[in-house]
Amino acid sequence: MSDGQRPVRVEAVSTPGQPEVTDELKELYRGFEQELLIPLWTQIGGLMPAHPNSHAVPHLWRWQNLVPLAARAGDLIPVGRGGERRAIALANPSLGGRPYATPTLWAAIQYLMPGEDAPEHRHTQNAFRFVVEGEGVWTVVGGDPIPMGRGDFLPQAGWNWHAHHNATDKPMAWIDGLDIPFQYQVESQFFEFGRDVISDAERITPSRSRSERLWGHPGLRPLSVNSSGPGTPLLSYKWEFTDRALSDQLAMEREGYGGTVEPGHAAVRYTNPATGSDVLTTIRAEFHRVARGSETIPVRETGSSVYQVFDGSGVVTVGDVSWSVTRGDIFVVPSWQPFSAKSEAGSTDSDSGALDLFRFSDTPVFEALGLGRTRIDSQ
Amino acid sequence: MSDGQRPVRVEAVSTPGQPEVTDELKELYRGFEQELLIPLWTQIGGLMPAHPNSHAVPHLWRWQNLVPLAARAGDLIPVGRGGERRAIALANPSLGGRPYATPTLWAAIQYLMPGEDAPEHRHTQNAFRFVVEGEGVWTVVGGDPIPMGRGDFLPQAGWNWHAHHNATDKPMAWIDGLDIPFQYQVESQFFEFGRDVISDAERITPSRSRSERLWGHPGLRPLSVNSSGPGTPLLSYKWEFTDRALSDQLAMEREGYGGTVEPGHAAVRYTNPATGSDVLTTIRAEFHRVARGSETIPVRETGSSVYQVFDGSGVVTVGDVSWSVTRGDIFVVPSWQPFSAKSEAGSTDSDSGALDLFRFSDTPVFEALGLGRTRIDSQ
Amino acid sequence: MSDGQRPVRVEAVSTPGQPEVTDELKELYRGFEQELLIPLWTQIGGLMPAHPNSHAVPHLWRWQNLVPLAARAGDLIPVGRGGERRAIALANPSLGGRPYATPTLWAAIQYLMPGEDAPEHRHTQNAFRFVVEGEGVWTVVGGDPIPMGRGDFLPQAGWNWHAHHNATDKPMAWIDGLDIPFQYQVESQFFEFGRDVISDAERITPSRSRSERLWGHPGLRPLSVNSSGPGTPLLSYKWEFTDRALSDQLAMEREGYGGTVEPGHAAVRYTNPATGSDVLTTIRAEFHRVARGSETIPVRETGSSVYQVFDGSGVVTVGDVSWSVTRGDIFVVPSWQPFSAKSEAGSTDSDSGALDLFRFSDTPVFEALGLGRTRIDSQ
Amino acid sequence: MSDGQRPVRVEAVSTPGQPEVTDELKELYRGFEQELLIPLWTQIGGLMPAHPNSHAVPHLWRWQNLVPLAARAGDLIPVGRGGERRAIALANPSLGGRPYATPTLWAAIQYLMPGEDAPEHRHTQNAFRFVVEGEGVWTVVGGDPIPMGRGDFLPQAGWNWHAHHNATDKPMAWIDGLDIPFQYQVESQFFEFGRDVISDAERITPSRSRSERLWGHPGLRPLSVNSSGPGTPLLSYKWEFTDRALSDQLAMEREGYGGTVEPGHAAVRYTNPATGSDVLTTIRAEFHRVARGSETIPVRETGSSVYQVFDGSGVVTVGDVSWSVTRGDIFVVPSWQPFSAKSEAGSTDSDSGALDLFRFSDTPVFEALGLGRTRIDSQ
């Protein structure tokens, strides 16, 4: 993973916008190299482009290809201290062979076999799980076991102790999202091992976590919690609520009251109920539903996103690339590339046949630092 | 500057904490490579270290070596559209030959010949100038000419039009600090060319900029400005005020009233007068004065800093490295490396003989995202 | 309501801490009166007491006495433009005959007859409704009809158009809370009449308002709403959620996981889901459940509260006064008077027999201005 | 100061918008009185007006009348524990004989004789001093002696210990501004006596306070102070800076660069350098300079203001009233009354002959609670 000790090289080239190549210039450039200096004028085009020109490319991973490989890892790779998790990261093909979905985001499929535990640890990296299929695993955060089921979103802010246990006789797969590349780059990461084995009291399997019992009531906060940290205290956003919120928006639209982002496009953002802001300081998470027969307008944003198809099928377009997608497929939208999604043709009075998309992005970083921009390309 | 198209490689190695290397494992790993997948268990040590383990190394650039090279560039390299600035960046020796002082910060020496202009442009990168010696250049920000003199600090938030003009018959050098590596990494950058030639009205040489006349009065804000953006509206922090603030702190300490960070160590932070927060959303700037005969306690922080010695001499220690430093010398403190500074021996009732250090860092990024940590190592 | 044109009077009195009464003093004081001046030294004790010494007194209104009077008003008083609402305010007996429950808060019982409408208007005063019994009225806020049923809390920030319609064949009573005394005092009030008759489209009777369909899903915000004002966009907090949140806290306590404010005392605050802060900028609203056999510790706070007993019975103590209370009873806790509540004796594994208290207060004013203080008296 | 124990009276009157007066109505109203109830429909016009209709009236106090009375008080009234301060409050003639300049603000002239001390105390009321003439008194806040001279503004947030000492052989007068009426109304006040006699170390007479040495440098904050409370840590805003800021604005306007609020009208707000916001959480303070021959546009605002003429002369208009004013005169602008100021006729290239106005208001209360409104009446 090292950036290596490559020497400083300053090339004298003869191109427009560059000084003429002379012996004196070459000598000057040798002096720069010796003193570890690099002139702006040889670098400015790449370093300071007119607009974001991402190193990442749009790419699609098919769920049907990921799951068998994860299952095979279930057979061959133990889960335990050191390796920590049976998580397999999506590596964007143009990010130098690194395990990065985008320059700032990590996305992985995690797999836990029947009866297995993943050992406790904590790290400053912000994380979440999202479940596209299956059930049976509980994530234990700070001693609180949280069930994982299809459609559930489980954020977990940095520096919380956490482990997993599979309480059933079936394996389970889900996706993890983290800000590993971002924290790797700014060099903010801390990591600690916790207990190798969690207690029996934590291996229970309640249908609602304690965090949901305290924080999962709309518009209500418990007085027993004086304050909370930078991340959300609500550790599970159950599918039943997300689904209903999206259905409500589409129903309101049909009744003539608006409620959607654009015709046929319902969307919610997962938020910290203590502040109303993003669930994690570095990661935004949203759910989008494109009704049957609808298409979203192409939008560019600074920052990158990863999407997973939760249900339905359709066509998504990222920059110049389009893919037909179906349940579980995961794809990347690099910074400033236009994105749009189109569900299957047809029309319906209900939400059936909609294209359901889970999305996460690094937008909170951009907004916190005044770097967010959005552009809707006129058609 | 590309991260390249290196293929995904997953190596099966036989080391503790890794699964046994078998043919099945190798086949699994070939499957990972084919699907652009990388397992966490082969990467976790480097990706998620116990604490920040910077790719950057401590390094020192001597001012006496930089200036002649910059002057020689003055002879050989024209300033104009395309190259934009005669700025020469400090390249940390372990960051892969890139023009980065640290993983997030750019530091450069800029040089302008008598009568020269640097053309107008704007970019989302946040920037500042700091002047260790000389005078005669005005930076024109949004049409407001700002004089640059020894000790002056000139911040300039992203997306403001700016140009420079040297109004004297002497060349002038100063340092530029920007968040180029950070914005390059998160891919947030926009850039636009402005006018090639600034107007005569902007080539005037007032002793105070209009921004100072509006915002440079302690504790007072003009009612004519309804609001201001994310960066500071005060475009020059003149040396006379910085110097006096530091002298006041040391004098208060001598009188028994505190006021310093620790004995003999005075320090101020440059702030946005409209908000009291950092001058730029991604860059913090401070000035530290270590009184003759004093030494600061070693402190570690997440995030990286660049220091320039403004005056005096002494010894600075970054991690395991110590250097004797003097006026103009520039050095880097990588993330989580302990830093301390020691001025020359002696004692005095005045500030004479103090070691004066200008510092800039990426701390606002960490604080905005809940990633800031500081540790004072017990001695 | 006028503060009157009473002349300025400065009395020369012969008491400790006052200058000796002489003819010269009397002459000086006549001079003060003539110039409309009043010395601090004759006023300081009352104006600047050692701690809040409220002009309001603790007082209890019995629901069983309020309802018949409201019903009689239903017979005799029409609802219409000019009078605007059939609302009858609780007048604290020591606030000079003014319709103020406390120096800052208005509390009233409102009554609407079968088929009646209350006409549309808007005002800067922040308001809410709380329903202790009955159903059948819809409050129409900005065209969105919101059902009102037992236990529902309906906040409504200032300057929103609103009306009521009773869609049933029964009268209905509920309480209104507003910041009328506060805004009267600081003189911030605006008021406008709306349409005399609301449209048929607004006289519909949905079981959920559109605000609930957009904002009533735990931890989820709609992307279709770019921003929201200072008050909550969620216009109804339904009883089912409040009740469940309180039950969850008491159940968690019984399981040994905490979750309550103190043993047997569950409590939630109604919050703005867009910000996590109070539903209204000047009014806080909470619900407290004291389990059978439990008693809360006496707490003093700056600012005043009004409570309504929602269910159960018990004894409440405000300063030196205690009352046995039951469903619907309303009482006042003046600033800095200690308050505690005790439910009926007994014990239970469920929430049955709990004392349920709805509370509203002016606390957000104190917190916004740095004036909040709380003291728990040791016992 | 009591609001009295006047009984609740509900009058049945025969006017438009009121129900017909019948025996049944009278009986109902007797029932209301007995239960301490007051109907909205008899009160709404006064309680909820179409716009703020202040109980205060515009009023002017002449400095030439105030000073002799204050001086006479200097002869007759001792300063000491109990009375605390020789402060004489301006009583708005329509606020019921109370010592209130406006419904929320206290304004007083304070007078200290040669060699006198005013004893130490603290209170939650936010306070400031402003000096229209004289010098020689130091205000000691938290042990830090702060000189008071013509044009200086000295804010002091609630709950700081403070005392005064006159170190010269001349008496001195200045004005005090506090939020006494506001805190009296919301009942948030605490008060404590401090030492009766301050120490010799505090009776020193430095030309700059320690607060100025730490915080009085434009755009610079000391690193030695980790955080600060809700009020400003800068305890003196010296005239030299205020004057220069105003001159700079008028000069920029003359040069064609704007900088003023409107032609000929320069203005600054005193701000907390740690946050950029108002110096006190409940009081805003500003300084306005109206150049010779200029006139400000009439502006209405929610909330009330008190002005003191610092220099020059001119005509001010509050609602329907106009006064010719000169140095030291103090006047009140009630909520939502339009205000404008006109300096003496003439024209000049300098600031000489300008009308200089110090202003304080309760605006931060309104802004914090979302109640601020401003209207510029078209002419």
Side-chain angles (χ1 to χ4, degrees), chain A residues 236-321:
Chain A
S236 177
Y237 295 67
K238 282 223 167 62
W239 172 242
E240 114 186 53
F241 302 117
T242 305
D243 184 36
R244 192 180 196 200
L246 296 164
S247 291
D248 276 345
Q249 289 183 16
L250 288 172
M252 281 178 65
E253 179 188 296
R254 285 190 296 265
E255 296 164 22
Y257 293 124
T260 52
V261 175
E262 57 186 325
H265 178 189
V268 291
R269 182 171 301 154
Y270 298 99
T271 58
N272 178 340
T275 64
S277 55
D278 281 295
V279 284
L280 301 168
T281 60
T282 54
I283 300 179
R284 170 163 295 171
E286 296 174 348
F287 206 104
H288 294 255
R289 173 167 292 172
V290 184
R292 178 182 277 265
S294 296
E295 183 171 2
T296 70
I297 212 169
V299 176
R300 296 173 191 265
E301 292 183 43
T302 46
S304 54
S305 296
V306 178
Y307 285 81
Q308 184 172 33
V309 179
F310 181 70
D311 213 347
S313 57
V315 175
V316 295
T317 302
V318 183
D320 299 329
V321 192

Side-chain angles (χ1 to χ4, degrees), chain C residues 294-315:
Chain C
S294 296
E295 183 171 2
T296 70
I297 213 169
V299 175
R300 297 172 190 265
E301 292 183 43
T302 46
S304 54
S305 296
V306 178
Y307 285 82
Q308 184 172 33
V309 179
F310 180 72
D311 213 347
S313 56
V315 174

Side-chain angles (χ1 to χ4, degrees), chain A residues 38 54-55 89 184 187 281 335, chain B residues 38 54-55 89 184 187 335 369:
Chain A
I38 302 178
S54 184
H55 290 89
Y184 182 82
E187 305 190 329
T281 60
S335 187
Chain B
I38 303 178
S54 184
H55 291 88
Y184 183 83
E187 306 190 328
S335 186
L369 304 176

Side-chain angles (χ1 to χ4, degrees), chain C residues 123-369:
Chain C
H123 41 69
T124 53
Q125 286 89 353
N126 294 295
F128 71 82
R129 339 262 156 229
F130 179 72
V131 183
V132 75
E133 63 185 18
E135 60 181 352
V137 167
W138 273 254
T139 291
V140 183
V141 178
D144 183 13
I146 310 157
M148 298 173 62
R150 173 161 160 79
D152 295 347
F153 168 72
L154 293 85
Q156 173 201 301
W159 216 236
N160 284 291
W161 293 113
H162 58 285
H164 305 289
H165 65 91
N166 187 336
T168 66
D169 57 2
K170 289 188 187 154
M172 183 176 165
W174 66 87
I175 65 164
D176 289 340
L178 290 97
D179 57 7
I180 290 174
F182 177 78
Q183 293 211 32
Y184 182 84
Q185 199 59 36
V186 300
E187 304 188 329
S188 53
Q189 330 102 312
F190 291 82
F191 184 98
E192 278 185 5
F193 295 121
R195 293 161 303 160
D196 289 346
V197 181
I198 60 171
S199 69
D200 285 347
E202 289 159 302
R203 208 174 281 109
I204 56 174
T205 57
S207 62
R208 287 194 301 150
S209 62
R210 301 198 293 269
S211 82
E212 290 163 89
R213 293 161 83 188
L214 280 177
W215 288 97
H217 311 281
L220 301 175
R221 69 176 295 161
L223 289 204
S224 53
V225 184
N226 277 320
S227 68
S228 51
T232 178
L234 179 56
L235 301 177
S236 176
Y237 294 69
K238 282 225 167 61
W239 172 242
E240 112 187 54
F241 302 117
T242 306
D243 184 37
R244 192 180 195 200
L246 296 164
S247 290
D248 275 345
Q249 289 183 15
L250 288 171
M252 281 178 64
E253 179 189 296
R254 285 191 297 264
E255 295 164 22
Y257 294 124
T260 52
V261 176
E262 57 186 325
H265 178 190
V268 291
R269 181 171 302 155
Y270 298 100
T271 59
N272 178 340
T275 64
S277 56
D278 283 294
V279 284
L280 301 168
T281 60
T282 54
I283 301 179
R284 171 163 294 171
E286 295 174 349
F287 206 104
H288 294 255
R289 174 167 290 172
V290 184
R292 178 182 278 265
S294 296
E295 183 171 2
T296 70
I297 213 169
V299 175
R300 297 172 190 265
E301 292 183 43
T302 46
S304 54
S305 296
V306 178
Y307 285 82
Q308 184 172 33
V309 179
F310 180 72
D311 213 347
S313 56
V315 174
V316 296
T317 302
V318 183
D320 299 329
V321 191
S322 290
W323 302 289
S324 290
V325 291
T326 188
R327 182 183 288 191
D329 293 350
I330 302 173
F331 58 90
V332 156
V333 180
S335 187
W336 212 238
Q337 296 255 16
F339 169 71
S340 62
K342 187 178 180 175
S343 62
E344 278 190 6
S347 78
T348 170
D349 274 359
S350 74
D351 290 7
S352 75
L355 177 61
D356 271 5
L357 297 169
F358 170 77
R359 177 199 188 189
F360 68 102
S361 71
D362 55 7
T363 318
V365 173
F366 290 74
E367 292 188 353
L369 304 175

